[in-house]
Amino acid sequence: MMKNAFPYIGLGALLLFPLLGFSSYLMHIAILVIMWSVIGMAWNLLGGYCGQVSFGHAAFFGVGAYTAGMLYSKLGLSAWWGIPASIVVVTLVALVIGYICLRLRGPFFALATLSMGVILRITAENLVKITGGDIGIMIRERTWVEKIWYYYIILALAVMTFLVVKQVVGSKLGYYFVAIREDQDAAESLGIDTTYYKTVALCLSGVITGLAGAFYTNYMGYIDPKVVFALHDISIITIMVVMVGGAATFSGPVVGAVIMVLLAEMIRSIPKLGAAHHTFFGLLLIVIIIFLPNGIVGDFEKIRKLFRTRQEQP
Amino acid sequence: MIKLEIFLQTLIQGLLLGGLYSLIGVGMTIIMGVMKIINLAHGELMMVAMYIAYVLFTAFQIDPYFSILIAAPVLFFLGIALQKYLINPVLRVEAIIPENQVILTVGIGMVLANLATIIFQSDYRQTPLSYASKTWYLQDYWKSSPVDLSITAPWLVTFLVAVLITLGLWFFLARTDMGKSIRATAQDSEAAMIMGVNVDRMRVITFGLGSALVGAAGCLFIPIYYIYPDIGGQFTLISFVITILGGLGSTVGAILGGLVLGLFESLTATYVGMGWAPVGRFAIFVAALVFLPGGMASLLKSKRMK
């Protein structure tokens, strides 16, 4: 009973959260946490359920962000049109990336997607006439000054993503994904068209990430290739969000996003440690992989046991 | 005539760069072949060796070419330590995501790059050598040559040492007992174990060897380039592209792949533009994946079959 009500209570709390009148900084953190949950859930669909570990989600994020940015800078439209437009653009990009990368398996797929992210970054840096190159794109008119509307938009996106992931994972599609993750050859021999379903997973995951990217352009008001196509600060953090929280769990990416965003803000706020935030992330990643390979949610039992045995020993 | 000259000069430059790339790629390839994992900290290990060479140069005026003798062993033991205490434990852990070890090496790379930023700041640094600008021109030796080509001393030395090390590695893998054991482990670790090869030891040694190779490459690279803490990432990608281009786990393929990549990159830099050289690198990578999924190694094999 409690378990069934929990998602609604959580949603209600999230809906009421901005009405409590928090400072704009806290709202910013909340928006970032929700945005990273969206990206984490998207990655989880591909990496956690379908087993295709992508190191290049910045490619989708960046394409989404640049779709919104270029609609504004080149066509003079509102950058909000980027949200519907990015669905089409990112799907096309995902199909191309899938065609090239999905013929590889395991770590090779991972690295191939990583290079796709880098290719897109370098392309965006060099096509100065179209993308503005290193200067980036600046959205001059902000839609709202208060953060509350951005909060509700990203929250709506997050709820939608959560429902999509839940639907997909509970359906036949989700079982195909898990079958592919567990043993691709066995799945193939059972008549699952693995390439087709991997492409579906990649497109779904990419589109959701691209939507987050388009939102990012609108919210931040400024993008450049080094930020939105960043390897460490987007692609790797995406993986960390899922790894820390727990791969192939519903709540894992949310937990991971909360921890990662808060950790990043905490480290950055300490002046001397700010430069070392990659070291902390790297060490956290190493520790998580060695001790909690299925993340905090996935290995929750392990953590609980650890505390119990400690209590029992006087 | 000028066009031909530029073309030939581009080829020479590409070949010299390719020799170095081969050395970088071979290190990753042998780790790949034996451990079946991709070491995403490969470029960062090279960065560590470059900083070792840099510190030795600024503190003791040791020529970067001689610091290979120090940096390569240091990297060998660093690689062994990483393999033994971080990667090996993870190989045994059960997890949902199968690519845990790869993600682990990303973490290692991040820590190394960030530590370098903290220690050395993100400045671009160089080791100014006395013979850095020494250049040989073809027309000085062959007066009636229709084209004038040049080659600078550090590039030539780098290329020759890289070739020497690669030949040494080939000799080690082909002729020595340990080299044969390593190749046996790469081919079929279980069969190798039955034949009495200490597979675990071979894995550790291979990781050290791969690290030492890329460490040597770092020392060779420093006289012709500059260093900054984030330099590693791009070399990780380069060595991965070479690994794919050469055919997974094939040493000869990696050497050829390195040369091809060097040539191709040099050609894109000359004829398309400097900024596009990295795109050229990936264009050839994508082309290799789509048209030649087995890499150079599959070409070699099909020739042998005929």
Side-chain angles (χ1 to χ4, degrees):
Chain A
M1 190 63 198
M2 262 313 278
K3 249 196 168 156
N4 284 336
F6 188 71
Y8 298 103
I9 298 170
L11 183 62
L14 283 171
L15 279 172
L16 292 174
F17 175 78
L19 304 178
L20 297 174
F22 285 112
S23 70
S24 129
Y25 175 68
L26 271 176
M27 287 300 289
H28 174 69
I29 301 287
I31 291 170
L32 283 187
V33 167
I34 299 174
M35 192 186 87
W36 278 109
S37 317
V38 171
I39 303 172
M41 285 190 274
W43 190 92
N44 197 19
L45 199 56
L46 179 70
Y49 291 103
C50 199
Q52 308 300 310
V53 174
S54 153
F55 276 55
H57 257 48
F60 305 119
F61 185 82
V63 168
Y66 261 91
T67 308
M70 273 151 59
L71 279 179
Y72 171 81
S73 70
K74 291 290 150 192
L75 300 177
L77 292 169
S78 160
W80 287 108
W81 286 108
I83 288 188
S86 67
I87 296 179
V88 181
V89 178
V90 176
T91 308
L92 292 176
V93 172
L95 284 174
V96 174
I97 291 183
Y99 175 74
I100 298 166
C101 299
L102 283 175
R103 52 187 73 213
L104 293 168
R105 284 188 186 189
F108 300 104
F109 171 79
L111 263 174
T113 50
L114 187 152
S115 21
M116 290 299 147
V118 179
I119 293 178
L120 284 171
R121 193 198 76 221
I122 296 167
T123 312
E125 278 171 4
N126 280 292
L127 287 174
V128 179
K129 279 199 184 120
I130 302 171
T131 59
D134 284 327
I135 304 158
I137 297 171
M138 175 99 168
I139 311 279
R140 281 186 203 82
E141 307 89 20
R142 303 301 305 277
T143 324
W144 299 288
V145 180
E146 300 96 52
K147 296 218 158 30
I148 182 161
W149 296 109
Y150 294 105
Y151 177 89
Y152 281 124
I153 289 169
I154 192 68
L155 186 62
L157 193 60
V159 171
M160 205 189 70
T161 309
F162 188 83
L163 293 177
V164 166
V165 171
K166 194 138 196 175
Q167 268 304 316
V168 167
V169 171
S171 71
K172 222 175 182 179
L173 201 57
Y175 286 97
Y176 287 162
F177 287 173
V178 174
I180 292 170
R181 178 187 78 199
E182 291 302 322
D183 191 332
Q184 196 173 320
D185 296 315
E188 185 94 49
S189 67
L190 285 175
I192 298 173
D193 185 349
T194 51
T195 315
Y196 173 75
Y197 287 106
K198 282 196 291 185
T199 313
V200 171
L202 186 73
C203 287
L204 259 177
S205 176
V207 165
I208 297 170
T209 313
L211 286 173
F215 169 80
Y216 181 88
T217 306
N218 282 291
Y219 174 57
M220 297 304 269
Y222 172 75
I223 51 170
D224 79 44
K226 286 209 169 48
V227 173
V228 293
F229 287 114
L231 173 60
H232 285 122
D233 289 329
I234 306 277
S235 294
I236 304 293
I237 299 288
T238 306
I239 300 173
M240 287 196 66
V241 162
V242 180
M243 294 291 299
V244 171
T249 57
F250 286 117
S251 50
V254 182
V255 174
V258 172
I259 294 174
M260 287 306 292
V261 172
L262 290 184
L263 193 70
E265 287 303 317
M266 239 160 61
I267 295 169
R268 267 176 212 151
S269 62
I270 304 168
K272 279 211 172 140
L273 284 180
H277 73 277
H278 277 162
T279 306
F280 279 94
F281 287 177
L283 289 177
L284 176 67
L285 192 59
I286 294 170
V287 168
I288 285 275
I289 289 175
I290 293 179
F291 296 106
L292 298 173
N294 294 324
I296 290 174
V297 176
D299 279 333
F300 195 66
E301 277 303 307
K302 226 178 182 175
I303 302 173
R304 235 178 30 195
K305 248 184 220 159
L306 196 75
F307 280 104
R308 241 183 235 156
T309 46
R310 265 202 197 147
Q311 275 169 359
E312 277 163 14
Q313 286 163 352
Chain B
M1 208 31 95
I2 300 246
K3 267 190 184 155
L4 180 70
E5 201 175 295
I6 292 174
F7 180 67
L8 288 177
Q9 188 70 51
T10 309
L11 285 188
I12 290 178
Q13 208 57 37
L15 200 66
L16 294 179
L17 183 65
L20 188 59
Y21 277 1
S22 299
L23 185 57
I24 300 172
V26 160
M28 186 185 248
T29 304
I30 61 167
I31 292 177
M32 222 290 353
V34 171
M35 313 253 317
K36 311 287 177 235
I37 71 158
I38 290 182
N39 174 21
L40 275 189
H42 202 63
E44 275 78 10
L45 289 172
M46 177 172 168
M47 180 270 303
V48 171
M50 287 173 90
Y51 273 107
I52 291 175
Y54 170 79
V55 169
L56 288 175
F57 180 81
T58 43
F60 307 107
Q61 271 76 47
I62 296 176
D63 192 296
Y65 291 117
F66 290 111
S67 36
I68 293 178
L69 299 175
I70 301 164
V74 170
L75 265 280
F76 182 78
F77 289 111
L78 180 63
I80 283 183
L82 289 178
Q83 209 297 343
K84 247 190 160 160
Y85 298 110
L86 292 176
I87 296 170
N88 243 356
V90 172
L91 287 174
R92 286 187 225 111
V93 169
E94 279 283 315
I96 292 176
I97 296 186
E99 273 74 44
N100 260 356
Q101 317 94 17
V102 185
I103 303 177
L104 178 78
T105 59
V106 173
I108 296 170
M110 269 166 93
V111 173
L112 289 177
N114 199 222
L115 287 179
T117 318
I118 294 167
I119 300 171
F120 296 98
Q121 271 83 46
S122 358
D123 303 337
Y124 287 60
R125 286 161 199 272
Q126 259 185 327
T127 53
L129 293 168
S130 51
Y131 50 89
S133 51
K134 172 115 188 70
T135 310
W136 291 293
Y137 293 96
L138 184 61
Q139 275 178 347
D140 291 350
Y141 299 95
W142 182 21
K143 285 280 182 300
S144 56
S145 158
V147 287
D148 193 14
L149 301 171
S150 65
I151 196 164
T152 56
W155 274 98
L156 189 65
V157 177
T158 295
F159 177 74
L160 292 177
V161 179
V163 169
L164 264 181
I165 295 175
T166 314
L167 284 178
L169 176 75
W170 178 80
F171 180 81
F172 170 74
L173 287 177
R175 292 292 144 86
T176 62
D177 268 359
M178 189 178 268
K180 282 178 184 163
S181 309
I182 287 177
R183 285 194 302 151
T185 313
Q187 263 177 15
D188 188 332
S189 57
E190 277 167 19
M193 213 183 285
I194 293 169
M195 291 304 170
V197 174
N198 188 344
V199 170
D200 282 336
R201 191 154 153 260
M202 287 310 141
R203 286 196 175 132
V204 175
I205 288 175
T206 309
F207 206 93
L209 190 64
S211 312
L213 285 172
V214 80
C219 297
L220 290 176
F221 200 54
I222 223 185
I224 51 178
Y225 208 64
Y226 40 85
I227 29 167
Y228 52 95
D230 287 330
I231 196 172
Q234 67 184 57
F235 284 101
T236 305
L237 282 176
I238 287 174
S239 37
F240 173 61
V241 173
I242 294 169
T243 315
I244 292 283
L245 207 57
L248 309 171
S250 153
T251 318
V252 183
I255 294 170
L256 290 178
L259 290 174
V260 169
L261 186 69
L263 282 173
F264 195 78
E265 224 174 83
S266 177
L267 287 171
T268 12
T270 310
Y271 293 106
V272 188
M274 273 312 254
W276 287 98
V279 176
R281 179 186 304 161
F282 294 121
I284 197 168
F285 160 70
V286 171
L289 278 184
V290 176
F291 300 112
L292 193 69
M296 301 279 175
S298 68
L299 280 185
L300 291 177
K301 244 179 221 158
S302 64
K303 227 174 203 173
R304 229 173 272 160
M305 296 269 199
K306 281 171 200 162

